[in-house]
Amino acid sequence: MKYIKQLIAALSIPVLLAGCEKINDALDAEKVGAYTVSVTASTEMSGVATEGLKVVFENFAEGFRLEAELGAGATPIKGLIPGMYSINVSGRVEGADGETYYLNGSKINYAIFKNNEQLEISVSGLKVSPLVFSEIFFAGTNPFYFRNQFYEIYNNSDKVIYLDGLCFANLMPSAVTTNMPTWPATDGNQYAYAERIWKIPGNGTEYPLQPGESFSIAQWAANHQLPQYSPASPINCFPAEFEFNMNNPNFPDQPAVDMTHVFYNASASKGTLPQYLVSVFGGAYVIFRVPAGETYDPVNNAELRTRNLANATATQQYAKIPIRYILDAVEAGNNQNSIANKRVPSVLDAGMTYVGATYNSQGVARKVGAVNADGTPIYTDTNNSTDDFERGVVPQFRRHGAKMPFWNHMN
Amino acid sequence: MKKLYITVALAAACQATAAQDAGNTPASLEWRRQNSLWEQSGNPAGLKLDAPIRYSHVNAGYESYNGDFRRPQEGASGNRQFVQTEGALYADSFYLSGKFSYTRDAVKDAKFNASIIDPFRGMPFIVADLNASDWSIQRYDLQFNATTRAYGRWSFGLGAQYQASSGAKQRDIRTENYFYSIRVTPGVVYALSDRQHIGFNLDYSNTKEEGSMSNVNVYVDQTYYELYGLGTAVSLLGGGRTNNYEGDAWGGSLQYAYRGYIGVFVNAGYKIEAEDLHVSFTIPRDGATILRKSWNAGVTLTNETPGLLHTLALQYRQRDMDGIQYTTERIPTAGWKSLAKYVRSTFASKQATAMYRIGAKRGREYKWMADISGAYTKLDDVYLLPYSFKKTENLNGEIGGKMNFVLPGNKDARLLVGLSIGYNRNFSAAYEYNGAHPDYPTVTELETNDYRYMASDYVKAELPVTWSTRLKESGKQTLFLKAYGRYVKTGSYDFNDRYTIGGSVGVNF
C-alpha cells in the first residue's frame, strides 16, 4: 500500500506541475499598450541627407499602418502596437552625380516588443528605373485555366529604351511559404535568386520602346477567349509582344516574338515542362539588364548559381542575379498577410501585392502618379508593391492610355 | 460504437444490482436531483449528506431544432440522438454513483467555424471560413463519484469525469477534430455537529483538442480567417492549418451546510484555467492562449413542512477571460520562437440568479411544483488595442410549474405535465469595432449577428410531458416516455424564432 501511495504521488507531481506551468505562463502576460520606437536612418551615400525620408511601419497581419517623416537624428515614432512589422524608410533624392536615386532601407518581419527601442535602418540608393512592371496577371481563370498569365512592362522615363537583352526572371521560392530557403552566407545581400531566366532577343536596337509605350510578355500569346481555351478569360493575349514559348505542340507558337531562354536548373535548355507557369498564388518577378561590358552567364559560371542550402539533398540550381542589375521587381502573394514570408530583398520591393484568391481572373495594375503631356501615364514607383499597385483589377493591356510599340505584330 | 455498447452494457449491468424499493417515478428522480445540494456543489465527499437513494436510470432519445434565432456559429437546424444512463448504489458503507452519456449531433449549416467542435466553450481563437457547413459530432461523457464512510467527523470523496468528442466538418475547408477532457475532484467534509458540515474540494482538469483542416477540392483555395476576438481577424487563403489546443485547470470550492427548521447551504468556488493553442504539429507555433478565471458563490435556503418544501436559491457567477496573443518569429533551422506575449482582449461575463420554488410532497416524489426565477446577465468583451467592445445586459424572468397526475391502476402510473414561460429583456447593448478591416465578414456578419442575438428580447415557452408506469405491479422497473417542446420567439433585428422538439424513452429501476 505504501508503495502504491508513493507511485501515485510520483505520477501526480509532474501532472500537477505541468498544469501549473501553463497557468503561470498565462499569468505572466502583460496587458498590451502602445509603444514608442526611435528611428535613425543611415546611408553610405555621400552628400545625401536622410531627413525628410518617409518611414512606414506596417503590421500586415493586423492591418495596422503608421507613417511618419524622419527628422534630423533619431525620430520618435509613437503609438505602435507590439507585433511583427515591415518597417520601410524611403524617398527620392538627388545624388552627387546629378542622377535621381531612390533611397530605400527596411527591416522586414521585425518584432517590436520593447518599448523605447532605438532602431537604426541603413538605406541604400537604387537608380530610379525607367522600366517598370505596369500590370501583372498571375491568378488565372476559373476553372483552373492558367495559360493567360502575362506581364506588362512600361517605359516610365522620358527616353527611348531598347529592350534587346532585357531579362525577365521569377524568383525563389516560387510561392509564399514559411519554409524559406537558405542561401550562401557569403552572398550577403548582393543577390536575388531566380528559378528561370528569359531574355528579349535582338541585336541591340531591334525593339525600341518609346516613352509612354508598354509591351507585354505572355505565358502563351494566344486568344484565350476562344471556346477551346477559356471563354471566361478576362484577357486575349494575342496582341502580346512576346511569349514564353515552351515548344508544346498542344499550345503552338503564336505570332508574338519568342523570349530567349537563358537559365533553368544550371542549363540553357528549357527542360520538359509543358508551359512556363508561375504560381497562381503570386510569384516574385524581376526585370534586369546586364551592364555594358559585363558578362552574366549563370549556366557556365558556377559562381553565379547555388542550391537551396536549407535542404541537404536538394540539387536544383538557382541563378544568382546581382541586385545592382535589377531594374524593377514586384512580389505577389496570396493576400496581405503573405508579407510575413517575404522573399524579395526589400531594397527591390519593400511590399507585396495580391489578388486574394486563385483563378479569380483578377490582376494587379500599377497606380498612376501623374500624366505626361501626351496623356500617357507616369506610374507611381515607390519601390513598394503594396502601395504602388491597385489590386483585384480586371486585367487589360495598355491601361491608362499606354501606347503600343510600332514593331508589335498587330501593326 | 463498439466501445459505446460495451460501456452501456457494463453500466447497465452494474446498475441492475442497485434496484431500490420505491420512488422510481420520473418525478421522484427529478425531486432527488433538485434537492441534492451537495451533489450540485461538486464535492463528492458530501453525497451521503443528500440522503441518497439507490437508483438506476437509462434512457434514449432524439431531438430536433430549427429556426433563425441563433448565434451565427450554431447550426441553422440539426438533430441529436442520445443515450444516457446513471445510477447509484451503496457498497458496504461507501456510496458510489455514475453516469454515462453518448450523443450524436448532426449540425446543419453552421457558419464561421472550421476548426473546433464546440465554438462556445470559451475558446475565441479559432479559424472561421465562410462556407455554411454540416458538422457530424459524437460526444461521450463518463462520470463517477465515490464517497467514503465517515472516519470520525471526516468523510472523503473522489469524483472523476472523462469526456471525449470527435467532430468533422463536411464542406471545404473541412476539419477532423478530436477532443478529450479529464477532470478529477477530490473532496472532504468535516462534521461540525450532526446538523452542520463544512466541505472543501479540489478541481483539476486537463483538456486537449486536435484539429486538422484540409480541402478535398484542392483546386479551389478557400478564404479563411484566424479569429482573435470581436471581429479582429487575419485573412488567409488555402486549406487551413492544424490546431492543437491543450489546457489545464485548477480550482477549489468551499461548502457549508446547516440542517434545521431552515436548511442553509452556502457554496463558493474559484477556478483558473489556461488553454494554449499551438498551430501545426510539425513546426509548432504559439498561436494564442486563453486564461479563464471563474468565481461562483451562492446560498440556498430550504424549509420543509410535512406537506411542502420551499427552496430559495441565490447564485452569482463570474468568468473573466484574458485573450493572449504572441509575437513570434520563424528561425529557419529552429522553428518558431515566441518573443513576447500580451493580453490583447478580455472577455467578462457575470450572472446573478434568484429562484424560489415550492413543491408539494407525495412520498419520494412531488404532487406539484412551481417556481419563479430571475437572472441578470452582463457580458463585457473588449479588444484592447485597437479598442473595440461588445457589451450586453439582460434581465431574464421565468415562471413555471409541473403537475404530477396519478393515473388509475396498480402500477403507479403517472402523467407529469409541465409548463414554463420566460421573458428576456435586453436593457443595454453596444458593439463597436475599431480595428483593421471593418469590412471583413468576421465583423459584418459573425460579430454583428452574434451581438444582435445577445441583445435580443425574446419570450420562451417550454412544455414537457412525461408518462410513466411500473412494468409489473410487483416490480420496481418504471418505464417512461417523455416528450418536450421548446419555442423561443423574438421580434428583435431580423430574427424570428427557434424551436426544439424531442422525446425519449427509458426505464428507472
Side-chain angles (χ1 to χ4, degrees):
Chain A
M1 193 65 188
K2 182 183 167 190
Y3 295 116
I4 291 173
K5 283 180 184 170
Q6 286 174 349
L7 180 64
I8 290 170
L11 291 173
S12 303
I13 287 168
V15 173
L16 302 184
L17 290 178
C20 291
E21 189 182 333
K22 272 194 186 66
I23 292 167
N24 288 338
D25 282 351
L27 287 168
D28 279 347
E30 61 178 280
K31 274 200 172 176
V32 70
Y35 280 8
T36 299
V37 169
S38 290
V39 178
T40 309
S42 61
T43 178
E44 291 177 358
M45 290 182 71
S46 58
V48 169
T50 59
E51 189 176 355
L53 293 179
K54 187 171 76 173
V55 60
V56 178
F57 284 74
E58 194 142 26
N59 182 330
F60 289 93
E62 299 198 23
F64 179 81
R65 181 186 168 101
L66 203 153
E67 198 175 307
E69 193 171 286
L70 287 186
T75 305
I77 310 295
K78 297 177 181 173
L80 292 165
I81 300 171
M84 296 301 288
Y85 281 84
S86 164
I87 308 163
N88 188 40
V89 176
S90 62
R92 288 185 187 225
V93 294
E94 193 83 11
D97 54 3
E99 295 268 14
T100 302
Y101 285 86
Y102 192 81
L103 276 190
N104 188 287
S106 64
K107 289 185 181 294
I108 302 298
N109 296 330
Y110 187 83
I112 291 184
F113 62 101
K114 295 173 191 160
N115 200 11
N116 298 316
E117 185 180 0
Q118 308 287 321
L119 200 60
E120 183 171 328
I121 298 175
S122 64
V123 292
S124 53
L126 196 71
K127 273 187 195 170
V128 173
S129 173
L131 289 175
V132 293
F133 283 101
S134 52
E135 180 133 357
I136 300 174
F137 177 49
F138 56 81
T141 297
N142 200 26
F144 320 123
Y145 188 82
F146 49 72
R147 298 184 194 281
N148 50 0
Q149 292 181 329
F150 75 88
Y151 314 87
E152 184 180 277
I153 296 160
Y154 180 77
N155 184 349
N156 211 25
S157 75
D158 55 1
K159 298 181 180 72
V160 180
I161 297 166
Y162 291 95
L163 303 178
D164 311 51
L166 181 75
C167 295
F168 173 97
N170 69 298
L171 304 184
M172 283 299 295
S174 56
V176 169
T177 173
T178 55
N179 296 318
M180 297 298 278
T182 301
W183 306 119
T186 50
D187 287 0
N189 297 319
Q190 302 301 307
Y191 298 99
Y193 299 87
E195 181 192 46
R196 195 184 286 270
I197 300 174
W198 301 81
K199 186 168 75 174
I200 292 178
N203 59 17
T205 55
E206 241 175 284
Y207 300 109
L209 194 68
Q210 300 292 332
E213 288 183 349
S214 68
F215 69 98
S216 293
I217 315 174
Q219 185 197 119
W220 183 44
N223 180 0
H224 302 283
Q225 294 165 334
L226 293 174
Q228 64 269 39
Y229 301 132
S230 176
S233 173
I235 191 77
N236 164 12
C237 285
F238 186 79
E241 281 73 16
F242 300 98
E243 69 171 342
F244 300 112
N245 182 4
M246 291 290 280
N247 304 326
N248 181 344
N250 294 325
F251 301 96
D253 191 16
Q254 298 293 311
V257 177
D258 288 352
M259 295 287 284
T260 303
H261 191 263
V262 175
F263 176 94
Y264 177 68
N265 195 16
S267 170
S269 162
K270 293 175 184 174
T272 56
L273 291 174
Q275 67 272 319
Y276 176 52
L277 169 64
V278 175
S279 172
V280 291
F281 282 99
Y285 326 96
V286 295
I287 49 174
F288 67 97
R289 192 190 285 282
V290 180
E294 290 193 31
T295 304
Y296 178 69
D297 185 1
V299 172
N300 296 305
N301 183 354
E303 295 291 312
L304 289 174
R305 59 177 195 258
T306 180
R307 43 183 285 280
N308 174 10
L309 305 181
N311 184 346
T313 58
T315 57
Q316 169 110 23
Q317 294 281 315
Y318 303 103
K320 299 195 233 177
I321 305 172
I323 279 178
R324 60 192 172 86
Y325 289 7
I326 293 174
L327 296 171
D328 193 28
V330 172
E331 181 167 10
N334 305 3
N335 58 22
Q336 71 273 20
N337 303 308
S338 303
I339 202 164
N341 303 302
K342 193 165 166 49
R343 68 211 123 157
V344 169
S346 60
V347 69
L348 300 176
D349 184 352
M352 187 183 280
T353 189
Y354 51 88
V355 294
T358 53
Y359 301 106
N360 65 356
S361 288
Q362 293 181 1
V364 295
R366 194 177 285 273
K367 294 174 186 170
V368 176
V371 179
N372 287 311
D374 64 354
T376 55
I378 301 173
Y379 282 114
T380 302
D381 183 14
T382 67
N383 232 29
N384 186 326
S385 296
T386 310
D387 298 335
D388 291 350
F389 278 81
E390 288 179 62
R391 299 179 285 270
V393 300
V394 176
Q396 70 174 83
F397 288 152
R398 284 175 264 277
R399 193 184 293 272
H400 306 303
K403 294 177 180 171
M404 181 187 282
F406 73 88
W407 41 266
N408 180 295
H409 66 89
M410 302 275 286
N411 291 323
Chain B
M1 280 304 286
K2 197 174 175 185
K3 283 181 185 171
L4 167 68
Y5 295 137
I6 292 168
T7 312
V8 171
L10 285 174
C14 292
Q15 289 158 14
T17 61
Q20 52 92 41
D21 50 3
N24 263 346
T25 65
S28 69
L29 289 190
E30 184 187 352
W31 189 248
R32 186 200 68 77
R33 282 193 199 102
Q34 284 179 352
N35 299 314
S36 297
L37 300 180
W38 280 98
E39 183 182 311
Q40 290 169 29
S41 77
N43 186 346
L47 292 183
K48 288 169 79 173
L49 299 171
D50 287 331
I53 56 172
R54 289 186 298 167
Y55 72 98
S56 295
H57 161 92
V58 61
N59 78 331
Y62 173 88
E63 73 174 29
S64 171
Y65 51 88
N66 202 343
D68 67 357
F69 185 46
R70 62 185 174 98
R71 301 179 74 174
Q73 291 164 313
E74 284 184 278
S77 62
N79 62 71
R80 179 175 297 133
Q81 302 144 51
F82 55 87
V83 177
Q84 297 165 334
T85 177
E86 64 177 88
L89 56 83
Y90 285 93
D92 196 5
S93 53
F94 283 68
Y95 180 71
L96 304 171
S97 68
K99 288 182 186 176
F100 171 77
S101 71
Y102 167 76
T103 308
R104 188 179 182 91
D105 274 317
V107 180
K108 305 288 182 192
D109 289 339
K111 283 188 86 174
F112 295 109
N113 173 26
S115 69
I116 195 168
I117 293 174
D118 180 2
F120 307 111
R121 69 174 174 83
M123 169 46 74
F125 301 114
I126 69 170
V127 174
D129 68 342
L130 303 178
N131 295 331
S133 172
D134 296 353
W135 277 76
S136 293
I137 300 169
Q138 296 185 92
R139 303 174 205 273
Y140 303 84
D141 187 346
L142 187 62
Q143 298 178 44
F144 84 87
N145 287 293
T147 309
T148 67
R149 66 181 176 82
Y151 297 92
R153 289 175 177 266
W154 297 91
S155 296
F156 302 92
L158 180 66
Q161 181 178 24
Y162 172 73
Q163 292 177 305
S165 309
S166 61
K169 183 169 178 277
Q170 303 293 308
R171 186 178 170 191
D172 286 353
I173 301 173
R174 287 155 212 256
T175 185
E176 189 173 319
N177 280 45
Y178 298 92
F179 169 90
Y180 83 76
S181 168
I182 294 173
R183 185 179 180 197
V184 182
T185 49
V188 60
V189 166
Y190 181 77
L192 298 169
S193 68
D194 284 349
R195 290 169 172 259
Q196 291 190 79
H197 295 83
I198 56 171
F200 172 70
N201 69 278
L202 282 171
D203 187 343
Y204 170 77
S205 61
N206 173 264
T207 60
K208 181 175 173 68
E209 179 166 0
E210 293 183 1
S212 300
M213 299 170 64
S214 63
N215 283 337
V216 169
N217 183 352
V218 295
Y219 296 107
V220 177
D221 294 294
Q222 302 287 339
T223 298
Y224 63 95
Y225 299 87
E226 291 180 340
L227 302 187
Y228 288 100
L230 282 87
T232 305
V234 173
S235 170
L236 296 162
L237 186 68
R241 64 186 199 191
T242 51
N243 301 299
N244 184 19
Y245 298 95
E246 293 178 302
D248 281 304
W250 274 107
S253 297
L254 286 167
Q255 302 88 22
Y256 167 79
Y258 170 77
R259 267 196 319 232
Y261 174 72
I262 299 287
V264 179
F265 192 92
V266 180
N267 64 288
Y270 174 75
K271 191 171 189 178
I272 184 165
E273 307 169 73
E275 186 174 351
D276 296 331
L277 161 63
H278 299 287
V279 178
S280 168
F281 293 99
T282 47
I283 307 174
R285 169 172 66 86
D286 288 333
T289 294
I290 193 83
L291 179 68
R292 309 183 192 100
K293 297 172 187 168
S294 308
W295 293 262
N296 70 79
V299 58
T300 304
L301 306 175
T302 54
N303 172 245
E304 191 166 0
T305 65
L308 296 173
L309 176 66
H310 303 266
T311 305
L312 176 66
L314 305 171
Q315 290 287 336
Y316 176 77
R317 289 188 180 82
Q318 180 173 339
R319 184 174 76 172
D320 292 333
M321 301 200 300
D322 288 345
I324 297 165
Q325 291 175 229
Y326 291 81
T327 300
T328 55
E329 74 172 351
R330 177 78 189 271
I331 298 169
T333 52
W336 290 96
K337 181 184 175 189
S338 288
L339 302 171
K341 56 177 184 275
Y342 300 94
V343 176
R344 297 292 302 269
S345 50
T346 58
F347 307 83
S349 63
K350 297 180 175 117
Q351 187 181 54
T353 59
M355 185 277 296
Y356 170 72
R357 182 171 57 232
I358 181 170
K361 297 189 292 184
R362 181 168 60 210
R364 286 183 172 173
E365 61 177 2
Y366 62 85
K367 276 192 284 191
W368 55 264
M369 188 165 61
D371 59 61
I372 183 167
S373 64
Y376 164 79
T377 307
K378 182 178 182 181
L379 297 180
D380 187 358
D381 298 346
V382 176
Y383 199 82
L384 297 172
L385 202 62
Y387 181 69
S388 299
F389 62 85
K390 185 166 77 171
K391 300 178 183 193
T392 59
E393 283 182 279
N394 286 284
L395 202 53
N396 188 296
E398 203 161 315
I399 185 165
K402 282 186 176 179
M403 286 292 297
N404 188 20
F405 297 104
V406 176
L407 301 180
N410 299 321
K411 293 184 177 178
D412 282 343
R414 301 283 188 271
L415 183 65
L416 182 60
V417 180
L419 175 66
S420 71
I421 294 172
Y423 176 67
N424 185 80
R425 174 72 179 169
N426 175 266
F427 56 91
S428 166
Y431 171 51
E432 189 175 304
Y433 179 77
N434 298 303
H437 311 300
D439 56 326
Y440 275 5
T442 54
V443 179
T444 58
E445 277 190 64
L446 171 60
E447 289 295 334
T448 298
N449 286 333
D450 197 51
Y451 155 75
R452 287 173 176 169
Y453 177 88
M454 299 290 187
S456 289
D457 299 337
Y458 62 85
V459 291
K460 182 173 80 172
E462 188 165 356
L463 178 68
V465 179
T466 307
W467 171 85
S468 64
T469 183
R470 284 211 308 264
L471 290 172
K472 295 177 185 173
E473 279 187 23
S474 57
K476 306 290 188 287
Q477 293 85 2
T478 302
L479 171 76
F480 66 86
L481 296 170
K482 184 176 181 181
Y484 54 92
R486 186 165 47 245
Y487 184 71
V488 184
K489 173 70 180 170
T490 180
S492 295
Y493 304 98
D494 295 327
F495 298 123
N496 186 24
D497 61 5
R498 182 90 162 167
Y499 70 82
T500 304
I501 53 170
S504 64
V505 56
V507 180
N508 298 331
F509 51 98

